[in-house]
Amino acid sequence: MGLMTARKITDLTWRVGGPQGGGIETAATLFAQALARGGWWVSARREYHSNIMGRHSYLDVRAARRPTKAFFEQVDLLAALDAETLARHLGQIKAGGVLVYDPAAAKLPLSKLAMLDGAAYRRISAQLGGGDPPVERAVERYRQDGAVLLPLALTQLAREVGQALGVDAITAKRTLNTVAVAASLALLGYPSQPLVEAVGAQFVKKPKLAELNRKVAAEVYRRVEPLADRRLEPVGDGGERLYLNGSHASAMGKVAAGLGFMSYYPITPATDEPFYLEAHPEAEVVVVQVEDELAAVNMAIGASMAGARAALTTSGPGFALMTEALGFAGITETPLLISLYQRGGPSTGLPTRTEQGDLRFALGAGHGDYPRAVLGSASVEESFYDAALALNLSQRFQLPVVHMMDKYLASTTRTLEPFEADKIKPEPGLRAEGATGVFPRFSLASEGGVSPRLPVGAAGAGYWITSDEHDEVGHITEDPELREAMMEKRAAKIEALREWLGPEEMYRVYNPEAGTLVLGWGSSQGVALEAMEGLDMGYLQARFLLPFPEIGDLLAEKKLVVLDYSQSGQFARLLTQETGNKPDHLIVKYNGRPMTIEEVRAAFEAVLAGTAPKYLVLRAGV
Amino acid sequence: MGLMTARKITDLTWRVGGPQGGGIETAATLFAQALARGGWWVSARREYHSNIMGRHSYLDVRAARRPTKAFFEQVDLLAALDAETLARHLGQIKAGGVLVYDPAAAKLPLSKLAMLDGAAYRRISAQLGGGDPPVERAVERYRQDGAVLLPLALTQLAREVGQALGVDAITAKRTLNTVAVAASLALLGYPSQPLVEAVGAQFVKKPKLAELNRKVAAEVYRRVEPLADRRLEPVGDGGERLYLNGSHASAMGKVAAGLGFMSYYPITPATDEPFYLEAHPEAEVVVVQVEDELAAVNMAIGASMAGARAALTTSGPGFALMTEALGFAGITETPLLISLYQRGGPSTGLPTRTEQGDLRFALGAGHGDYPRAVLGSASVEESFYDAALALNLSQRFQLPVVHMMDKYLASTTRTLEPFEADKIKPEPGLRAEGATGVFPRFSLASEGGVSPRLPVGAAGAGYWITSDEHDEVGHITEDPELREAMMEKRAAKIEALREWLGPEEMYRVYNPEAGTLVLGWGSSQGVALEAMEGLDMGYLQARFLLPFPEIGDLLAEKKLVVLDYSQSGQFARLLTQETGNKPDHLIVKYNGRPMTIEEVRAAFEAVLAGTAPKYLVLRAGV
Amino acid sequence: MELKLADYKSEMAPDWCPGCGDYGILSALQTALYKMKIEPSRAVLVSGIGCSAKTIHYAASYGIHTLHGRGLPVAQGVKLANPKLTVVAMAGDGDGMGIGAGHFVGIGRRNLDMLYLIFNNEVYGMTKGQASPTLELGAQPKSLARPNIQAKVNPLMLAFAAGFTFIARGYAYDVKNLARLMQTGLEHRGLAMIDILQPCPTYNNLHTREWFAPRVYDVGAEGYDPRAPREMGDAERAERMARFTQKATEWGERIPTGVFWQAELPTFEERLGGFLPRYPQEAPATRGVGGEAKRVAALMKGHRVA
Amino acid sequence: MELKLADYKSEMAPDWCPGCGDYGILSALQTALYKMKIEPSRAVLVSGIGCSAKTIHYAASYGIHTLHGRGLPVAQGVKLANPKLTVVAMAGDGDGMGIGAGHFVGIGRRNLDMLYLIFNNEVYGMTKGQASPTLELGAQPKSLARPNIQAKVNPLMLAFAAGFTFIARGYAYDVKNLARLMQTGLEHRGLAMIDILQPCPTYNNLHTREWFAPRVYDVGAEGYDPRAPREMGDAERAERMARFTQKATEWGERIPTGVFWQAELPTFEERLGGFLPRYPQEAPATRGVGGEAKRVAALMKGHRVA
Ligand SMILES: Cc1ncc(C[n+]2csc(CCOP(=O)(O)OP(=O)(O)O)c2C)c(N)n1
Ligand SMILES: Cc1ncc(C[n+]2csc(CCOP(=O)(O)OP(=O)(O)O)c2C)c(N)n1
Ligand code: SF4
Ligand code: SF4
Ligand SMILES: [Mg+2]
Ligand SMILES: [Mg+2]
């Protein structure tokens, strides 16, 4: 078989698809860990429906000899664990790539796929010539498109191996994932040892399962290895590297900056962070699940007023319930960090898909004018350092900070060098020591709008805090002059913060000499950088959205392109608002799927060729 | 006495100040109504603390021979019902104006004014030479500043008259307001008959009180009339004119457009509207007070889904709790009207003071992209027509509409010609008739993003509504293509709406030929227009903020000035975002008090003279 | 045309986990509506967000799948705008007793003529099995990293405190009795709530079919009378409430189901009719266009200067 | 230095209406803290928004005047961050039973060691006298355009359903007993709530001093015992609850005050300590900086590829 023989493998994408709840995440972890242990830089992204069991889900694992930043649309190897995967991923295998599937699943007619929704059914049926085609016709189409077919009776294989090992049918079926991974790795000629180790790590708390899966893997290797015609080699060892996702990184970043308190209300994809901290008492964070997001945010504010470093995570719907409290933190100058994990909006929208559509909301959230900072992370690694920075900022400037994350970051897992946690110091903030009596918590004699803090409950002193406009000790005032002074004091934080950060923290620019500059923020960075390799293009990543970096000079006389995960191009509007510049091209995506390197590359080439429209929608994605 | 003898009275401002809850609103109503009945165009604005009883409050009544749009800082006559009023309004009487006060009140030292907050105390004490000056020193200062002093033992007068009429002391004290009004009008030489009528109207349901107050008025006239040295003449009669405020106008506008349902949670200054409708069953509106704003907005959405024309009112804190539902209305294409009565923010802020600081929030409220419209009214009259338009827009385009109002509009009462309610037709919207079976409520075969509607519960049919992304009948979908189509469908409403409105509805421009153009929206319009009379300046009122009017061409080669009630100049940022233009001057106010004609005039003159800074803060106000 | 049970089913296939209690609830609801011959198009089903909330998609009616915790306000809006409709609101225990608890208390004060179903699986199913407000203190179903640190709230007691006039409990796997209970709730003139014990085989490995089966019993079968007449002496009232409280808090070896409380009180719609005589004949959703200018004229009259 | 009652008073003069019940509540609270010798600076008073919410400005302590309905979550955050503080949350009836009702239910499940005061004046004072959730159905105090269309909710019953372990009622004009009640509530280990009958002479012309005076009485004086021991048989539990329910719902000619319910349950802080052994000695607000890199290293360990 001609599996990728022509070129040395430097970059490989493996996809596994199957029903939600069927364990394909485990499959992806095993595959990724096996390669990571062999020194490959791996990353895995996950697509799934808002459903607990049964609907279609898939993961892509990319392995490369160098760290990567994004994913391709087309895969080298697709392991289809069910018929629906076969139907849905038409056109997704590279020419010369491999389709591993179970021929038994391919017998079904399309209409028998219970979880295939109407729109997908109609589209696939049309692609396959109409009517109610059997899924086999899809397999045939993959073949026509240049994929190598590798029919393997996966389910039967799992059963047989299970039987051989003396386990019952249900348990045996649970090893299907290991079967798929082992078959794929064996096909690629990758040694089995790293997989065996990965299995051990995966089932470390369930030795029996570990044993079973190891044996399954060995047996599959025995059967499939002969089919491999090339060797995917380990390129080293995993070394000290970590394998984690944006949620983990963000949680760790906060811990590094001294996080003490986190209240939460469950919501996808934001609560992986508190769950993670809750499950790890070694983080020493008081984590409290509460009755709703109103409670979550106000409880964190209370904890912060008492002197704890407090943060919380949420996504759009929950953030919507927090906007009143955001202004409360603003007027009371209370440090508060909210990580906003964006997902497909509006409203409940696409709860498990990615988007950057909450930017405008975050920037304007809360009535009236008050200082806040908004920053966005572009990668798992940045998530760590930014979370720490964000928490520190909130402490130093005594204001609410919104740290923009998204579903893509939350559910993208990658290998990384360990974080340099010891380089991060919890920002002490300006504290008043030994104050007694009535304390001017909101003193106007402040620099950069920051008055010394004393937590509530500090012995011997006292003051008030109110959501109303107030005087220096925190009593309500409606005096026009005092009001003006307080507004001006609070507003001063923004420029002080800008100065403290410096331009390096506020934005990053790549290849600034190029005549065409792509601008964006957050998750669109990685794919832009990979897509523009070798092109005469630069990229500017706005790390801070508020305050907005002073980038006007960099834009002069360039062709400007904005790349954004939102239909209206929210970042483009912000750019115009802040600099007066309107982009020449706005490239957006809003179908909830991550941008692929191929489609972004094509769009960039069209821009350079002068054939791109002003508004261009990226539509790739399964 | 030299009271305003030099010029014919064409424009008069009367101010009455006293403790909250002491009835000064009644005083202002009587004064205003007495003049309105004499054919004067009157308007009254109200300043008060967030307090039920005791804190300082005052009202200005302006009467003119033509309709007016704003208020002056300096008054012709100040009727001070207590010592605190004397202390607070230093410098507020025009040279030659009159101070009516009770010399008994002036005996107190400043420190004895229990409700004078620290900031005001310190400022006034300093103005009066420091220490703890008696209020008499303030009176003396008024005199030095050119005011005519008219000491009247007001309280004693009320008591004496009461005694003469045989009523008890407490009841007599309640007539203090009538005493002050009658004394002022008598001083001005205005005939007593209109006041007698106004008293009758005011106490129409309490004939005994009416009788008492009429007698009080007559007695005061008898005593004070001899002091008058000129006649303020009636200039006609009130005719058909109405006397009402922005809340009333807005409520009526909605009724004109067919309002059927309003849910509310009390909040200042937004709930005067539902209270008014609740108290007037002839409006035929189902008004329901609910447990919070989350309930209010979602209940209105439910009513709208069932086919009722539904609206609600709130102010910043309540609006913050409604943003999640706003996106819900957006994705479900449910007509919904929210009137957002802005007040001083952020957070609880200055609950009874005015501001335009919620614009940015309204524009960005809700995560994700969805269509909505935002418009702002500039006057009591516009409030009526805009409320009707806004409700109709929500019906026609099946989307949420935010109608921006503010505290100033809500509590400014003026005489107006009756509304032409019969010119307003409730917009029927696109309705499906006689549908049966499963109904494609979200049909993609739509024009301008508007699919025919069928309310839930329509006999014989059925469909679903979900806050998730959905297909044409309302079932959840995560299909990327269907998602894109639905996003595009909804987004199409915005341009359709823009076209339907036409530029005339979207903005108004006054004196566009001038070389300097002031831009603003909402309540800053009236004061801008009065302040620029006779200057080479134009004014552009953005009536719609979203979609934003296409005004780029009007801005070319002009000096641009933005006038805005927000510290950050939220409208200026919007202007740049939408047009790329940055204003040359940003004139803002954020102390919670309305802009005065004098200060805006001075700012405009400075702009024309080239002496104005880029950022100019207006600071007038008591 | 004779209505068939099938007419209450939509084309949509449920995507709940195999064995989920939600199947039984859906089926009971369809049966109850069918038995009562309520035209599918005259019923509006309203849910929040969660596994439970998907129910509305699987029934042929008007279905509104709202926001997390906001089903009740939306349902009330529908009912008040068009009081002739049959409105059934439903919520998961997280949706209804957690984020939606404020609305639960709020509606209790109103006694709208509506049915409210709580899908009580003791977990947040949709977000992967965290503790819901009805999970016992110290319990640790498989998704929890540590035993539940919060005590549970009892929907029956809360409904009582809030003022619901019909309070019941059903069991999702006992479809027949559950359907009957729903029918009684729908027939009740006023606000009816049914707390439905709903096994979640995926995340709640503590309270499973096997756990429930020997425990649930019918209070009615044991002679319990839920009725609380409009007029009661102090002693009688105290006795009724005590009886209710005893049953409502019984949990463990025996778990009562059935109707626990049924009281008479004018509905909110009736009260509203007292202020607006043309309601509900001319309810806001059905009255059509016309008469607006007259209404405005009536309002303006009160503002005439003279 | 000996603390004096005056040390609990701030410089700020109240701006409540003359005769407002809030004066009595403020004074009782100051007395209770004084009697217990709680240093003003070790007490944090937390309120929502409303006339009642202004209370915190008039006491010398740390006072947090939060958002409407959000006092409880903020108070819990303070307490959890620094469990050694004395935390008193307070709310108007609208604030606490209306917009804040969800948090009321939520905190009931937690049994934090806190005191919660409800200022029950049956109206929304601050927004000019609309009906609050505790106003009776059909009542029409002077600011209402029409009789109240919603039934009232009973804070005592709701607290019971939510799980509060100390439930009491006081009367604002009876400062002495109210102070004593607050002291008992503060001494209670767990979540204590006092529903305080608070006349609002400005807007509530129905339930005035004259109306209350002949009606209020002390349940304790009549031998009522609120204690519910940790271990109870079913019959005993039923009897205790019945007794509670009877007293809690008594209203009209006689209005009981005093402690209605007092139960024992581990506090939330104690439960938390079970997961985090260094809490509360090293509570988040007081533990200071240090050890962060070690914590991160411990977390990273779980993610090492090999
Ligand atoms: C405002 C908001 N917060 C959180 C969520 C996330 N969320 C979706 S479903 C759910 C909980 C569902 O639990 P429950 O109500 O018990 O229903 P079940 O899934 O168990 O049927 C949550 C927290 C959301 N959609 N919206
Ligand atoms: C989110 C929000 N909604 C509404 C308000 C307006 N508001 C201020 S105080 C208040 C009610 C106060 O009533 P209550 O809680 O009973 O306190 P009281 O004034 O009677 O002491 C309301 C509705 C607000 N500040 N914030
Ligand atoms: S997670 Fe539980 S509640 Fe949700 S569908 Fe699965 S079994 Fe049902
Ligand atoms: S309105 Fe009522 S509650 Fe508010 S201060 Fe006045 S008397 Fe007290
Ligand atoms: Mg649940
Ligand atoms: Mg109240």
Side-chain angles (χ1 to χ4, degrees), chain B residues 161-179:
Chain B
V161 176
Q163 256 169 2
L165 295 171
V167 304
D168 63 274
I170 291 174
T171 311
K173 214 187 152 189
R174 290 224 188 92
T175 65
L176 193 57
N177 299 295
T178 304
V179 171

mmCIF file of all heavy atoms in Angstrom, chain B residues 161-179:
data_model
loop_
_atom_site.group_PDB
_atom_site.id
_atom_site.type_symbol
_atom_site.label_atom_id
_atom_site.label_comp_id
_atom_site.label_asym_id
_atom_site.label_seq_id
_atom_site.Cartn_x
_atom_site.Cartn_y
_atom_site.Cartn_z
ATOM 1 N N VAL B 161 -52.263 81.701 57.754
ATOM 2 C CA VAL B 161 -53.401 81.518 56.860
ATOM 3 C C VAL B 161 -54.195 80.304 57.292
ATOM 4 O O VAL B 161 -55.432 80.335 57.331
ATOM 5 C CB VAL B 161 -52.916 81.369 55.401
ATOM 6 C CG1 VAL B 161 -54.089 81.087 54.489
ATOM 7 C CG2 VAL B 161 -52.206 82.633 54.964
ATOM 8 N N GLY B 162 -53.451 79.250 57.629
ATOM 9 C CA GLY B 162 -54.132 78.043 58.086
ATOM 10 C C GLY B 162 -54.995 78.326 59.296
ATOM 11 O O GLY B 162 -56.168 77.941 59.340
ATOM 12 N N GLN B 163 -54.428 79.042 60.244
ATOM 13 C CA GLN B 163 -55.194 79.390 61.443
ATOM 14 C C GLN B 163 -56.457 80.161 61.092
ATOM 15 O O GLN B 163 -57.543 79.847 61.547
ATOM 16 C CB GLN B 163 -54.338 80.241 62.372
ATOM 17 C CG GLN B 163 -53.822 79.456 63.567
ATOM 18 C CD GLN B 163 -52.755 80.219 64.335
ATOM 19 O OE1 GLN B 163 -52.417 81.352 63.990
ATOM 20 N NE2 GLN B 163 -52.215 79.579 65.355
ATOM 21 N N ALA B 164 -56.237 81.124 60.229
ATOM 22 C CA ALA B 164 -57.374 81.954 59.822
ATOM 23 C C ALA B 164 -58.474 81.088 59.225
ATOM 24 O O ALA B 164 -59.661 81.357 59.389
ATOM 25 C CB ALA B 164 -56.920 83.010 58.815
ATOM 26 N N LEU B 165 -58.056 80.030 58.528
ATOM 27 C CA LEU B 165 -59.040 79.151 57.887
ATOM 28 C C LEU B 165 -59.465 78.020 58.814
ATOM 29 O O LEU B 165 -60.265 77.168 58.445
ATOM 30 C CB LEU B 165 -58.460 78.559 56.596
ATOM 31 C CG LEU B 165 -58.169 79.594 55.499
ATOM 32 C CD1 LEU B 165 -57.409 78.941 54.361
ATOM 33 C CD2 LEU B 165 -59.471 80.211 55.001
ATOM 34 N N GLY B 166 -58.874 77.994 59.988
ATOM 35 C CA GLY B 166 -59.300 76.995 60.965
ATOM 36 C C GLY B 166 -58.779 75.595 60.730
ATOM 37 O O GLY B 166 -59.430 74.624 61.102
ATOM 38 N N VAL B 167 -57.627 75.437 60.071
ATOM 39 C CA VAL B 167 -57.073 74.078 59.931
ATOM 40 C C VAL B 167 -55.917 73.896 60.904
ATOM 41 O O VAL B 167 -55.316 74.871 61.358
ATOM 42 C CB VAL B 167 -56.587 73.769 58.486
ATOM 43 C CG1 VAL B 167 -57.722 73.987 57.485
ATOM 44 C CG2 VAL B 167 -55.368 74.580 58.132
ATOM 45 N N ASP B 168 -55.578 72.614 61.181
ATOM 46 C CA ASP B 168 -54.531 72.356 62.161
ATOM 47 C C ASP B 168 -53.151 72.670 61.588
ATOM 48 O O ASP B 168 -52.985 72.858 60.392
ATOM 49 C CB ASP B 168 -54.588 70.895 62.637
ATOM 50 C CG ASP B 168 -54.322 69.936 61.511
ATOM 51 O OD1 ASP B 168 -55.302 69.596 60.786
ATOM 52 O OD2 ASP B 168 -53.156 69.545 61.308
ATOM 53 N N ALA B 169 -52.161 72.693 62.463
ATOM 54 C CA ALA B 169 -50.828 73.166 62.099
ATOM 55 C C ALA B 169 -50.184 72.279 61.034
ATOM 56 O O ALA B 169 -49.547 72.766 60.098
ATOM 57 C CB ALA B 169 -49.942 73.220 63.342
ATOM 58 N N ILE B 170 -50.358 70.947 61.153
ATOM 59 C CA ILE B 170 -49.705 70.037 60.198
ATOM 60 C C ILE B 170 -50.278 70.237 58.806
ATOM 61 O O ILE B 170 -49.552 70.355 57.808
ATOM 62 C CB ILE B 170 -49.861 68.571 60.671
ATOM 63 C CG1 ILE B 170 -49.020 68.363 61.945
ATOM 64 C CG2 ILE B 170 -49.424 67.613 59.577
ATOM 65 C CD1 ILE B 170 -49.192 67.007 62.582
ATOM 66 N N THR B 171 -51.587 70.299 58.731
ATOM 67 C CA THR B 171 -52.225 70.527 57.442
ATOM 68 C C THR B 171 -51.791 71.877 56.874
ATOM 69 O O THR B 171 -51.519 72.009 55.674
ATOM 70 C CB THR B 171 -53.764 70.478 57.583
ATOM 71 O OG1 THR B 171 -54.104 69.300 58.311
ATOM 72 C CG2 THR B 171 -54.442 70.451 56.236
ATOM 73 N N ALA B 172 -51.719 72.840 57.738
ATOM 74 C CA ALA B 172 -51.317 74.176 57.280
ATOM 75 C C ALA B 172 -49.912 74.127 56.685
ATOM 76 O O ALA B 172 -49.647 74.716 55.647
ATOM 77 C CB ALA B 172 -51.371 75.167 58.439
ATOM 78 N N LYS B 173 -49.031 73.347 57.323
ATOM 79 C CA LYS B 173 -47.655 73.290 56.840
ATOM 80 C C LYS B 173 -47.590 72.684 55.443
ATOM 81 O O LYS B 173 -46.703 73.007 54.653
ATOM 82 C CB LYS B 173 -46.796 72.473 57.833
ATOM 83 C CG LYS B 173 -45.384 73.027 57.902
ATOM 84 C CD LYS B 173 -44.452 72.194 58.724
ATOM 85 C CE LYS B 173 -43.039 72.423 58.163
ATOM 86 N NZ LYS B 173 -42.080 71.512 58.738
ATOM 87 N N ARG B 174 -48.537 71.801 55.161
ATOM 88 C CA ARG B 174 -48.554 71.174 53.842
ATOM 89 C C ARG B 174 -48.886 72.171 52.735
ATOM 90 O O ARG B 174 -48.714 71.867 51.559
ATOM 91 C CB ARG B 174 -49.598 70.040 53.821
ATOM 92 C CG ARG B 174 -49.193 68.862 54.655
ATOM 93 C CD ARG B 174 -49.466 67.541 53.926
ATOM 94 N NE ARG B 174 -49.230 66.433 54.854
ATOM 95 C CZ ARG B 174 -50.178 65.884 55.620
ATOM 96 N NH1 ARG B 174 -51.441 66.301 55.529
ATOM 97 N NH2 ARG B 174 -49.881 64.912 56.455
ATOM 98 N N THR B 175 -49.358 73.319 53.113
ATOM 99 C CA THR B 175 -49.690 74.301 52.080
ATOM 100 C C THR B 175 -48.508 75.207 51.750
ATOM 101 O O THR B 175 -48.620 76.117 50.936
ATOM 102 C CB THR B 175 -50.866 75.214 52.537
ATOM 103 O OG1 THR B 175 -50.408 75.986 53.657
ATOM 104 C CG2 THR B 175 -52.085 74.405 52.920
ATOM 105 N N LEU B 176 -47.388 74.904 52.355
ATOM 106 C CA LEU B 176 -46.192 75.727 52.161
ATOM 107 C C LEU B 176 -45.874 75.900 50.672
ATOM 108 O O LEU B 176 -45.443 76.966 50.220
ATOM 109 C CB LEU B 176 -45.017 75.048 52.878
ATOM 110 C CG LEU B 176 -43.754 75.865 53.061
ATOM 111 C CD1 LEU B 176 -44.049 77.147 53.823
ATOM 112 C CD2 LEU B 176 -42.719 75.056 53.838
ATOM 113 N N ASN B 177 -46.083 74.837 49.907
ATOM 114 C CA ASN B 177 -45.789 74.886 48.484
ATOM 115 C C ASN B 177 -46.680 75.872 47.763
ATOM 116 O O ASN B 177 -46.244 76.631 46.910
ATOM 117 C CB ASN B 177 -45.964 73.505 47.873
ATOM 118 C CG ASN B 177 -44.998 72.551 48.521
ATOM 119 O OD1 ASN B 177 -43.809 72.719 48.373
ATOM 120 N ND2 ASN B 177 -45.510 71.592 49.276
ATOM 121 N N THR B 178 -47.952 75.819 48.134
ATOM 122 C CA THR B 178 -48.880 76.752 47.515
ATOM 123 C C THR B 178 -48.499 78.175 47.911
ATOM 124 O O THR B 178 -48.574 79.101 47.094
ATOM 125 C CB THR B 178 -50.319 76.418 47.947
ATOM 126 O OG1 THR B 178 -50.565 75.052 47.615
ATOM 127 C CG2 THR B 178 -51.323 77.296 47.235
ATOM 128 N N VAL B 179 -48.082 78.326 49.139
ATOM 129 C CA VAL B 179 -47.634 79.646 49.597
ATOM 130 C C VAL B 179 -46.497 80.152 48.715
ATOM 131 O O VAL B 179 -46.522 81.279 48.206
ATOM 132 C CB VAL B 179 -47.173 79.580 51.072
ATOM 133 C CG1 VAL B 179 -46.500 80.888 51.492
ATOM 134 C CG2 VAL B 179 -48.354 79.264 51.980
#
